[in-house]
């Protein structure tokens, strides 16, 4: 995989690493090249083949679904062209109107999207009038697994490396990230994305504030993806379907994973 990525980038010497990341999405899974991604990136690469699919690797001591990781990494690379910049501005304004807070696309994709997807599946299958905790827990375990979250958060770390060190190749950034501590990556994710305060022993101090922010972003993802992209911002049909209990459940599920990862993740082997 790394050899393929390195050769792919060497064949495109004028492209930046962030541009390479965006185009590599075409080699993950066909389902990852969708309308929502097109709005984030400003373009949608035609699916070529799953060169990076069906492979698991270990990075930071975590089992990573590589196709999921590459898709999550490309989620971090907004603003690739004028269309992407304008689309992201539109999504920010839309989220501000619909949720009261403006988010850029990086704030409600990847891990937030994985946490929200089981709610979509639940509503499509069971409708808006029920709340079955055990059923939703099963869907969360299937669509937002520990491997999915690890893939998202490792991608977050690699994305930060590429933004902070634009001269790094994609391969070099992945190899450098492998030396990072996973719990440190989770901590940075919580601090950078949600303004978390973490105690010396790895406890989220301002837990209620972080919970509210995660809840809001899950809700923003659902409303924007379903009412704006698939429906109508004026009808807001999906808004009526999302029971707070479903988002609360998914929020608690994600926070539980993050808190456990802060204190339990192993050090990467040397």
């Amino acid at each position: 995989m790394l050899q393929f990525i390195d050769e792919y980038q060497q064949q495109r010497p004028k492209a930046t690493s962030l541009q390479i990341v965006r185009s590599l999405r075409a080699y993950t899974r066909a389902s990852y090249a969708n309308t929502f991604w097109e709005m984030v990136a400003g373009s949608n690469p035609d699916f070529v083949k799953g060169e990076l699919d069906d492979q698991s690797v270990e990075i930071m001591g975590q089992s990573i679904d590589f196709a999921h990781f590459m898709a999550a990494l490309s989620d971090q690379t907004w603003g690739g062209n004028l269309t992407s910049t304008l689309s992201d501005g539109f999504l920010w304004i839309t989220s501000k109107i619909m949720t009261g807070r403006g988010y850029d696309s990086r704030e409600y994709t990847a891990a937030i999207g994985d946490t929200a997807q089981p709610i979509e599946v639940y509503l499509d299958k069971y409708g808006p009038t029920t709340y079955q905790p055990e059923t939703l827990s099963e869907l969360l375990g299937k669509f937002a697994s520990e491997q999915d979250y690890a893939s998202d958060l490792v991608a977050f770390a690699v994305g930060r490396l590429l933004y902070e060190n634009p001269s790094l190749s994609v391969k070099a950034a992945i190899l450098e990230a492998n030396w990072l501590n996973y719990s440190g990556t989770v901590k940075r994710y919580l601090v950078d994305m949600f303004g978390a305060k973490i105690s010396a022993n790895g406890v989220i101090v301002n837990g209620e504030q972080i919970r509210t922010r995660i809840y809001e972003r899950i809700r923003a993802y659902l409303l924007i993806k379903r009412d704006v992209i698939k429906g109508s911002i004026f009808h807001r049909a999906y808004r009526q379907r999302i029971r707070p209990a479903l988002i609360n459940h998914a929020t608690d599920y994600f926070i539980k994973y993050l808190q456990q990862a802060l204190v339990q993740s192993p050090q990467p082997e040397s």
Side-chain angles (χ1 to χ4, degrees):
M1 292 170 293
L2 289 182
Q3 181 179 352
F4 170 78
I5 290 172
D6 199 40
E7 290 176 353
Y8 183 91
Q9 185 160 14
Q10 288 181 20
Q11 292 166 5
R12 296 158 178 81
K14 294 184 179 180
T16 67
S17 288
L18 293 177
Q19 290 171 331
I20 293 296
V21 165
R22 294 186 192 100
S23 60
L24 282 172
R25 193 181 185 101
Y27 295 85
T28 56
R29 294 184 182 123
S31 60
Y32 289 162
N34 52 37
T35 304
F36 196 42
W37 160 249
E38 187 169 2
M39 289 192 70
V40 173
S43 62
N44 205 352
D46 293 330
F47 180 71
V48 181
K49 59 179 178 178
E51 187 76 35
L52 304 176
D53 194 10
D54 294 327
Q55 300 188 62
S56 294
V57 298
E58 186 172 296
I59 306 177
M60 295 188 204
Q62 306 298 307
S63 174
I64 302 300
D65 175 337
F66 203 79
H68 192 117
F69 159 76
M70 287 303 302
L73 179 57
S74 62
D75 282 341
Q76 307 297 311
T77 60
W78 66 278
N81 52 37
L82 179 60
T83 303
S84 174
T85 302
L86 292 174
S87 296
D88 208 70
F90 168 74
L91 291 173
W92 189 95
I93 293 171
T94 303
S95 66
K96 179 71 173 178
I97 293 171
M98 298 186 72
T99 70
R101 188 185 296 271
Y103 300 115
D104 74 49
S105 57
R106 292 172 297 176
E107 296 183 277
Y108 50 80
T109 50
I112 293 295
D114 285 342
T115 309
Q117 185 182 3
I119 298 176
E120 293 184 90
V121 175
Y122 181 95
L123 288 171
D124 289 343
K125 188 171 183 179
Y126 300 101
T129 60
T130 68
Y131 169 48
Q132 303 172 29
E134 292 184 1
T135 300
L136 183 56
S137 291
E138 291 176 1
L139 291 172
L140 284 162
K142 179 179 180 180
F143 294 102
S145 67
E146 290 189 1
Q147 186 183 57
D148 291 335
Y149 281 147
S151 301
D152 293 328
L153 294 173
V154 170
F156 165 82
V158 174
R160 287 299 189 269
L161 286 172
L162 289 174
Y163 273 105
E164 293 166 359
N165 304 281
S167 62
L168 279 179
S169 69
V170 178
K171 176 184 176 181
I174 294 172
L175 291 174
E176 184 171 331
N178 189 47
W179 291 98
L180 299 175
N181 175 255
Y182 186 64
S183 63
T185 293
V186 175
K187 179 179 179 179
R188 183 174 183 185
Y189 174 78
L190 281 162
V191 172
D192 287 4
M193 299 299 286
F194 306 111
K197 298 177 182 178
I198 313 296
S199 70
N201 59 346
V203 175
I204 303 172
V205 176
N206 55 337
E208 283 303 312
Q209 182 182 47
I210 302 312
R211 188 185 187 284
T212 298
R213 291 181 178 178
I214 291 175
Y215 178 100
E216 289 174 345
R217 292 181 197 189
I218 294 172
R219 185 169 179 269
Y221 172 95
L222 290 166
L223 293 178
I224 291 171
K225 184 179 179 184
R226 301 301 292 250
D227 273 351
V228 177
I229 297 176
K230 293 187 177 180
S232 168
I233 188 174
F234 300 106
H235 293 161
R236 298 181 179 179
Y238 207 69
R239 179 189 292 269
Q240 307 302 321
R241 305 191 69 205
I242 308 172
R243 298 188 63 184
L246 300 175
I247 305 180
N248 278 321
H249 188 133
T251 299
D252 290 339
Y253 176 88
F254 185 32
I255 290 177
K256 180 180 179 181
Y257 171 82
L258 292 169
Q259 181 60 81
Q260 290 178 341
L262 277 173
V263 298
Q264 294 181 2
S265 60
Q267 298 280 345
E269 296 181 1
S270 58

mmCIF file with all atom_site columns, all heavy atoms in Angstrom, residues 8 42 46 49 65 95 118 121 142 154 159 162 164-165 185 192 255 260 266 268:
data_model
loop_
_atom_site.group_PDB
_atom_site.id
_atom_site.type_symbol
_atom_site.label_atom_id
_atom_site.label_alt_id
_atom_site.label_comp_id
_atom_site.label_asym_id
_atom_site.label_entity_id
_atom_site.label_seq_id
_atom_site.pdbx_PDB_ins_code
_atom_site.Cartn_x
_atom_site.Cartn_y
_atom_site.Cartn_z
_atom_site.occupancy
_atom_site.B_iso_or_equiv
_atom_site.pdbx_formal_charge
_atom_site.auth_seq_id
_atom_site.auth_comp_id
_atom_site.auth_asym_id
_atom_site.auth_atom_id
_atom_site.pdbx_PDB_model_num
ATOM 1   N N   . TYR A 1 8   ? 2.601   6.418  -6.792  1.00 0.00 ? 8   TYR A N   1
ATOM 2   C CA  . TYR A 1 8   ? 1.540   7.284  -7.315  1.00 0.00 ? 8   TYR A CA  1
ATOM 3   C C   . TYR A 1 8   ? 1.945   8.752  -7.179  1.00 0.00 ? 8   TYR A C   1
ATOM 4   O O   . TYR A 1 8   ? 1.774   9.550  -8.113  1.00 0.00 ? 8   TYR A O   1
ATOM 5   C CB  . TYR A 1 8   ? 0.250   7.004  -6.545  1.00 0.00 ? 8   TYR A CB  1
ATOM 6   C CG  . TYR A 1 8   ? -0.966  7.764  -7.023  1.00 0.00 ? 8   TYR A CG  1
ATOM 7   C CD1 . TYR A 1 8   ? -1.811  7.223  -7.991  1.00 0.00 ? 8   TYR A CD1 1
ATOM 8   C CD2 . TYR A 1 8   ? -1.284  9.015  -6.499  1.00 0.00 ? 8   TYR A CD2 1
ATOM 9   C CE1 . TYR A 1 8   ? -2.940  7.908  -8.423  1.00 0.00 ? 8   TYR A CE1 1
ATOM 10  C CE2 . TYR A 1 8   ? -2.404  9.706  -6.927  1.00 0.00 ? 8   TYR A CE2 1
ATOM 11  C CZ  . TYR A 1 8   ? -3.231  9.146  -7.885  1.00 0.00 ? 8   TYR A CZ  1
ATOM 12  O OH  . TYR A 1 8   ? -4.341  9.834  -8.307  1.00 0.00 ? 8   TYR A OH  1
ATOM 13  N N   . GLY A 1 42  ? -14.995 19.598 -3.607  1.00 0.00 ? 42  GLY A N   1
ATOM 14  C CA  . GLY A 1 42  ? -15.126 20.415 -4.803  1.00 0.00 ? 42  GLY A CA  1
ATOM 15  C C   . GLY A 1 42  ? -15.044 19.608 -6.077  1.00 0.00 ? 42  GLY A C   1
ATOM 16  O O   . GLY A 1 42  ? -15.248 20.115 -7.172  1.00 0.00 ? 42  GLY A O   1
ATOM 17  N N   . ASP A 1 46  ? -13.471 9.797  -10.040 1.00 0.00 ? 46  ASP A N   1
ATOM 18  C CA  . ASP A 1 46  ? -14.146 8.577  -10.468 1.00 0.00 ? 46  ASP A CA  1
ATOM 19  C C   . ASP A 1 46  ? -13.451 7.377  -9.836  1.00 0.00 ? 46  ASP A C   1
ATOM 20  O O   . ASP A 1 46  ? -12.221 7.289  -9.811  1.00 0.00 ? 46  ASP A O   1
ATOM 21  C CB  . ASP A 1 46  ? -14.104 8.447  -11.995 1.00 0.00 ? 46  ASP A CB  1
ATOM 22  C CG  . ASP A 1 46  ? -14.942 9.519  -12.676 1.00 0.00 ? 46  ASP A CG  1
ATOM 23  O OD1 . ASP A 1 46  ? -15.933 9.953  -12.071 1.00 0.00 ? 46  ASP A OD1 1
ATOM 24  O OD2 . ASP A 1 46  ? -14.577 9.923  -13.794 1.00 0.00 ? 46  ASP A OD2 1
ATOM 25  N N   . LYS A 1 49  ? -10.322 1.597  -8.825  1.00 0.00 ? 49  LYS A N   1
ATOM 26  C CA  . LYS A 1 49  ? -10.362 0.234  -8.308  1.00 0.00 ? 49  LYS A CA  1
ATOM 27  C C   . LYS A 1 49  ? -9.917  0.283  -6.862  1.00 0.00 ? 49  LYS A C   1
ATOM 28  O O   . LYS A 1 49  ? -9.299  1.250  -6.418  1.00 0.00 ? 49  LYS A O   1
ATOM 29  C CB  . LYS A 1 49  ? -9.456  -0.700 -9.106  1.00 0.00 ? 49  LYS A CB  1
ATOM 30  C CG  . LYS A 1 49  ? -7.986  -0.288 -9.121  1.00 0.00 ? 49  LYS A CG  1
ATOM 31  C CD  . LYS A 1 49  ? -7.155  -1.277 -9.918  1.00 0.00 ? 49  LYS A CD  1
ATOM 32  C CE  . LYS A 1 49  ? -5.685  -0.831 -9.973  1.00 0.00 ? 49  LYS A CE  1
ATOM 33  N NZ  . LYS A 1 49  ? -4.844  -1.803 -10.691 1.00 0.00 ? 49  LYS A NZ  1
ATOM 34  N N   . ASP A 1 65  ? -8.328  -0.050 9.168   1.00 0.00 ? 65  ASP A N   1
ATOM 35  C CA  . ASP A 1 65  ? -8.895  -0.377 7.861   1.00 0.00 ? 65  ASP A CA  1
ATOM 36  C C   . ASP A 1 65  ? -8.340  0.673  6.898   1.00 0.00 ? 65  ASP A C   1
ATOM 37  O O   . ASP A 1 65  ? -8.710  1.843  6.967   1.00 0.00 ? 65  ASP A O   1
ATOM 38  C CB  . ASP A 1 65  ? -10.420 -0.305 7.943   1.00 0.00 ? 65  ASP A CB  1
ATOM 39  C CG  . ASP A 1 65  ? -11.108 -0.508 6.595   1.00 0.00 ? 65  ASP A CG  1
ATOM 40  O OD1 . ASP A 1 65  ? -10.475 -0.286 5.548   1.00 0.00 ? 65  ASP A OD1 1
ATOM 41  O OD2 . ASP A 1 65  ? -12.296 -0.872 6.597   1.00 0.00 ? 65  ASP A OD2 1
ATOM 42  N N   . SER A 1 95  ? -24.960 25.118 8.247   1.00 0.00 ? 95  SER A N   1
ATOM 43  C CA  . SER A 1 95  ? -24.949 24.569 9.603   1.00 0.00 ? 95  SER A CA  1
ATOM 44  C C   . SER A 1 95  ? -25.260 25.656 10.627  1.00 0.00 ? 95  SER A C   1
ATOM 45  O O   . SER A 1 95  ? -25.912 25.401 11.642  1.00 0.00 ? 95  SER A O   1
ATOM 46  C CB  . SER A 1 95  ? -23.598 23.909 9.909   1.00 0.00 ? 95  SER A CB  1
ATOM 47  O OG  . SER A 1 95  ? -22.550 24.860 9.933   1.00 0.00 ? 95  SER A OG  1
ATOM 48  N N   . PRO A 1 118 ? -25.160 5.179  11.857  1.00 0.00 ? 118 PRO A N   1
ATOM 49  C CA  . PRO A 1 118 ? -26.095 4.205  12.427  1.00 0.00 ? 118 PRO A CA  1
ATOM 50  C C   . PRO A 1 118 ? -27.476 4.800  12.722  1.00 0.00 ? 118 PRO A C   1
ATOM 51  O O   . PRO A 1 118 ? -28.477 4.076  12.673  1.00 0.00 ? 118 PRO A O   1
ATOM 52  C CB  . PRO A 1 118 ? -25.401 3.768  13.723  1.00 0.00 ? 118 PRO A CB  1
ATOM 53  C CG  . PRO A 1 118 ? -23.954 3.994  13.454  1.00 0.00 ? 118 PRO A CG  1
ATOM 54  C CD  . PRO A 1 118 ? -23.899 5.231  12.622  1.00 0.00 ? 118 PRO A CD  1
ATOM 55  N N   . VAL A 1 121 ? -29.318 4.660  9.453   1.00 0.00 ? 121 VAL A N   1
ATOM 56  C CA  . VAL A 1 121 ? -29.756 3.288  9.187   1.00 0.00 ? 121 VAL A CA  1
ATOM 57  C C   . VAL A 1 121 ? -30.950 2.936  10.065  1.00 0.00 ? 121 VAL A C   1
ATOM 58  O O   . VAL A 1 121 ? -31.930 2.340  9.604   1.00 0.00 ? 121 VAL A O   1
ATOM 59  C CB  . VAL A 1 121 ? -28.597 2.297  9.429   1.00 0.00 ? 121 VAL A CB  1
ATOM 60  C CG1 . VAL A 1 121 ? -29.076 0.861  9.262   1.00 0.00 ? 121 VAL A CG1 1
ATOM 61  C CG2 . VAL A 1 121 ? -27.438 2.589  8.475   1.00 0.00 ? 121 VAL A CG2 1
ATOM 62  N N   . LYS A 1 142 ? -21.575 -2.001 14.494  1.00 0.00 ? 142 LYS A N   1
ATOM 63  C CA  . LYS A 1 142 ? -21.329 -2.433 13.119  1.00 0.00 ? 142 LYS A CA  1
ATOM 64  C C   . LYS A 1 142 ? -20.756 -1.311 12.259  1.00 0.00 ? 142 LYS A C   1
ATOM 65  O O   . LYS A 1 142 ? -19.814 -1.527 11.486  1.00 0.00 ? 142 LYS A O   1
ATOM 66  C CB  . LYS A 1 142 ? -22.635 -2.936 12.497  1.00 0.00 ? 142 LYS A CB  1
ATOM 67  C CG  . LYS A 1 142 ? -22.496 -3.402 11.054  1.00 0.00 ? 142 LYS A CG  1
ATOM 68  C CD  . LYS A 1 142 ? -23.817 -3.922 10.510  1.00 0.00 ? 142 LYS A CD  1
ATOM 69  C CE  . LYS A 1 142 ? -23.672 -4.397 9.064   1.00 0.00 ? 142 LYS A CE  1
ATOM 70  N NZ  . LYS A 1 142 ? -24.960 -4.906 8.521   1.00 0.00 ? 142 LYS A NZ  1
ATOM 71  N N   . VAL A 1 154 ? -6.367  8.214  13.469  1.00 0.00 ? 154 VAL A N   1
ATOM 72  C CA  . VAL A 1 154 ? -5.026  8.171  12.884  1.00 0.00 ? 154 VAL A CA  1
ATOM 73  C C   . VAL A 1 154 ? -4.985  9.068  11.645  1.00 0.00 ? 154 VAL A C   1
ATOM 74  O O   . VAL A 1 154 ? -4.003  9.784  11.410  1.00 0.00 ? 154 VAL A O   1
ATOM 75  C CB  . VAL A 1 154 ? -4.624  6.722  12.539  1.00 0.00 ? 154 VAL A CB  1
ATOM 76  C CG1 . VAL A 1 154 ? -3.341  6.705  11.702  1.00 0.00 ? 154 VAL A CG1 1
ATOM 77  C CG2 . VAL A 1 154 ? -4.421  5.909  13.819  1.00 0.00 ? 154 VAL A CG2 1
ATOM 78  N N   . GLY A 1 159 ? -3.335  13.965 8.785   1.00 0.00 ? 159 GLY A N   1
ATOM 79  C CA  . GLY A 1 159 ? -3.769  15.217 8.174   1.00 0.00 ? 159 GLY A CA  1
ATOM 80  C C   . GLY A 1 159 ? -3.110  16.426 8.806   1.00 0.00 ? 159 GLY A C   1
ATOM 81  O O   . GLY A 1 159 ? -2.666  17.350 8.108   1.00 0.00 ? 159 GLY A O   1
ATOM 82  N N   . LEU A 1 162 ? 0.450   16.733 7.578   1.00 0.00 ? 162 LEU A N   1
ATOM 83  C CA  . LEU A 1 162 ? 0.553   17.236 6.206   1.00 0.00 ? 162 LEU A CA  1
ATOM 84  C C   . LEU A 1 162 ? 0.295   18.738 6.136   1.00 0.00 ? 162 LEU A C   1
ATOM 85  O O   . LEU A 1 162 ? 0.924   19.443 5.336   1.00 0.00 ? 162 LEU A O   1
ATOM 86  C CB  . LEU A 1 162 ? -0.428  16.486 5.299   1.00 0.00 ? 162 LEU A CB  1
ATOM 87  C CG  . LEU A 1 162 ? -0.068  15.026 5.002   1.00 0.00 ? 162 LEU A CG  1
ATOM 88  C CD1 . LEU A 1 162 ? -1.180  14.346 4.215   1.00 0.00 ? 162 LEU A CD1 1
ATOM 89  C CD2 . LEU A 1 162 ? 1.248   14.944 4.226   1.00 0.00 ? 162 LEU A CD2 1
ATOM 90  N N   . GLU A 1 164 ? 0.877   20.837 8.653   1.00 0.00 ? 164 GLU A N   1
ATOM 91  C CA  . GLU A 1 164 ? 1.972   21.499 9.366   1.00 0.00 ? 164 GLU A CA  1
ATOM 92  C C   . GLU A 1 164 ? 3.301   21.373 8.625   1.00 0.00 ? 164 GLU A C   1
ATOM 93  O O   . GLU A 1 164 ? 4.190   22.218 8.789   1.00 0.00 ? 164 GLU A O   1
ATOM 94  C CB  . GLU A 1 164 ? 2.098   20.900 10.767  1.00 0.00 ? 164 GLU A CB  1
ATOM 95  C CG  . GLU A 1 164 ? 0.896   21.219 11.666  1.00 0.00 ? 164 GLU A CG  1
ATOM 96  C CD  . GLU A 1 164 ? 0.859   20.355 12.922  1.00 0.00 ? 164 GLU A CD  1
ATOM 97  O OE1 . GLU A 1 164 ? 1.761   19.498 13.073  1.00 0.00 ? 164 GLU A OE1 1
ATOM 98  O OE2 . GLU A 1 164 ? -0.062  20.528 13.728  1.00 0.00 ? 164 GLU A OE2 1
ATOM 99  N N   . ASN A 1 165 ? 3.443   20.313 7.819   1.00 0.00 ? 165 ASN A N   1
ATOM 100 C CA  . ASN A 1 165 ? 4.687   20.074 7.074   1.00 0.00 ? 165 ASN A CA  1
ATOM 101 C C   . ASN A 1 165 ? 4.340   19.752 5.616   1.00 0.00 ? 165 ASN A C   1
ATOM 102 O O   . ASN A 1 165 ? 4.372   18.584 5.207   1.00 0.00 ? 165 ASN A O   1
ATOM 103 C CB  . ASN A 1 165 ? 5.466   18.907 7.688   1.00 0.00 ? 165 ASN A CB  1
ATOM 104 C CG  . ASN A 1 165 ? 5.771   19.118 9.156   1.00 0.00 ? 165 ASN A CG  1
ATOM 105 O OD1 . ASN A 1 165 ? 6.688   19.846 9.505   1.00 0.00 ? 165 ASN A OD1 1
ATOM 106 N ND2 . ASN A 1 165 ? 4.987   18.487 10.024  1.00 0.00 ? 165 ASN A ND2 1
ATOM 107 N N   . THR A 1 185 ? -2.765  11.203 20.353  1.00 0.00 ? 185 THR A N   1
ATOM 108 C CA  . THR A 1 185 ? -3.541  11.599 19.178  1.00 0.00 ? 185 THR A CA  1
ATOM 109 C C   . THR A 1 185 ? -4.995  11.849 19.551  1.00 0.00 ? 185 THR A C   1
ATOM 110 O O   . THR A 1 185 ? -5.611  12.827 19.109  1.00 0.00 ? 185 THR A O   1
ATOM 111 C CB  . THR A 1 185 ? -3.448  10.505 18.097  1.00 0.00 ? 185 THR A CB  1
ATOM 112 O OG1 . THR A 1 185 ? -2.101  10.444 17.619  1.00 0.00 ? 185 THR A OG1 1
ATOM 113 C CG2 . THR A 1 185 ? -4.384  10.790 16.938  1.00 0.00 ? 185 THR A CG2 1
ATOM 114 N N   . ASP A 1 192 ? -8.232  19.927 19.931  1.00 0.00 ? 192 ASP A N   1
ATOM 115 C CA  . ASP A 1 192 ? -8.316  20.745 18.721  1.00 0.00 ? 192 ASP A CA  1
ATOM 116 C C   . ASP A 1 192 ? -9.741  20.866 18.198  1.00 0.00 ? 192 ASP A C   1
ATOM 117 O O   . ASP A 1 192 ? -10.161 21.938 17.753  1.00 0.00 ? 192 ASP A O   1
ATOM 118 C CB  . ASP A 1 192 ? -7.433  20.154 17.617  1.00 0.00 ? 192 ASP A CB  1
ATOM 119 C CG  . ASP A 1 192 ? -5.953  20.356 17.873  1.00 0.00 ? 192 ASP A CG  1
ATOM 120 O OD1 . ASP A 1 192 ? -5.604  20.882 18.951  1.00 0.00 ? 192 ASP A OD1 1
ATOM 121 O OD2 . ASP A 1 192 ? -5.138  19.981 17.002  1.00 0.00 ? 192 ASP A OD2 1
ATOM 122 N N   . ILE A 1 255 ? -18.179 9.111  23.003  1.00 0.00 ? 255 ILE A N   1
ATOM 123 C CA  . ILE A 1 255 ? -17.413 9.641  24.134  1.00 0.00 ? 255 ILE A CA  1
ATOM 124 C C   . ILE A 1 255 ? -16.805 8.504  24.952  1.00 0.00 ? 255 ILE A C   1
ATOM 125 O O   . ILE A 1 255 ? -15.662 8.599  25.420  1.00 0.00 ? 255 ILE A O   1
ATOM 126 C CB  . ILE A 1 255 ? -18.299 10.537 25.019  1.00 0.00 ? 255 ILE A CB  1
ATOM 127 C CG1 . ILE A 1 255 ? -18.631 11.838 24.281  1.00 0.00 ? 255 ILE A CG1 1
ATOM 128 C CG2 . ILE A 1 255 ? -17.608 10.845 26.343  1.00 0.00 ? 255 ILE A CG2 1
ATOM 129 C CD1 . ILE A 1 255 ? -19.559 12.755 25.032  1.00 0.00 ? 255 ILE A CD1 1
ATOM 130 N N   . GLN A 1 260 ? -11.972 5.895  26.889  1.00 0.00 ? 260 GLN A N   1
ATOM 131 C CA  . GLN A 1 260 ? -11.208 4.662  27.064  1.00 0.00 ? 260 GLN A CA  1
ATOM 132 C C   . GLN A 1 260 ? -9.885  4.719  26.306  1.00 0.00 ? 260 GLN A C   1
ATOM 133 O O   . GLN A 1 260 ? -8.855  4.259  26.806  1.00 0.00 ? 260 GLN A O   1
ATOM 134 C CB  . GLN A 1 260 ? -12.039 3.464  26.601  1.00 0.00 ? 260 GLN A CB  1
ATOM 135 C CG  . GLN A 1 260 ? -13.220 3.147  27.516  1.00 0.00 ? 260 GLN A CG  1
ATOM 136 C CD  . GLN A 1 260 ? -14.060 1.995  27.007  1.00 0.00 ? 260 GLN A CD  1
ATOM 137 O OE1 . GLN A 1 260 ? -14.012 1.641  25.824  1.00 0.00 ? 260 GLN A OE1 1
ATOM 138 N NE2 . GLN A 1 260 ? -14.857 1.400  27.883  1.00 0.00 ? 260 GLN A NE2 1
ATOM 139 N N   . PRO A 1 266 ? -2.207  1.444  23.777  1.00 0.00 ? 266 PRO A N   1
ATOM 140 C CA  . PRO A 1 266 ? -0.811  1.057  23.986  1.00 0.00 ? 266 PRO A CA  1
ATOM 141 C C   . PRO A 1 266 ? 0.156   1.986  23.278  1.00 0.00 ? 266 PRO A C   1
ATOM 142 O O   . PRO A 1 266 ? -0.201  2.678  22.335  1.00 0.00 ? 266 PRO A O   1
ATOM 143 C CB  . PRO A 1 266 ? -0.750  -0.343 23.358  1.00 0.00 ? 266 PRO A CB  1
ATOM 144 C CG  . PRO A 1 266 ? -1.783  -0.299 22.273  1.00 0.00 ? 266 PRO A CG  1
ATOM 145 C CD  . PRO A 1 266 ? -2.892  0.569  22.819  1.00 0.00 ? 266 PRO A CD  1
ATOM 146 N N   . PRO A 1 268 ? 3.140   2.713  20.690  1.00 0.00 ? 268 PRO A N   1
ATOM 147 C CA  . PRO A 1 268 ? 3.589   2.020  19.480  1.00 0.00 ? 268 PRO A CA  1
ATOM 148 C C   . PRO A 1 268 ? 4.918   1.329  19.722  1.00 0.00 ? 268 PRO A C   1
ATOM 149 O O   . PRO A 1 268 ? 5.773   1.833  20.449  1.00 0.00 ? 268 PRO A O   1
ATOM 150 C CB  . PRO A 1 268 ? 3.726   3.161  18.459  1.00 0.00 ? 268 PRO A CB  1
ATOM 151 C CG  . PRO A 1 268 ? 3.903   4.395  19.279  1.00 0.00 ? 268 PRO A CG  1
ATOM 152 C CD  . PRO A 1 268 ? 3.132   4.169  20.543  1.00 0.00 ? 268 PRO A CD  1
#
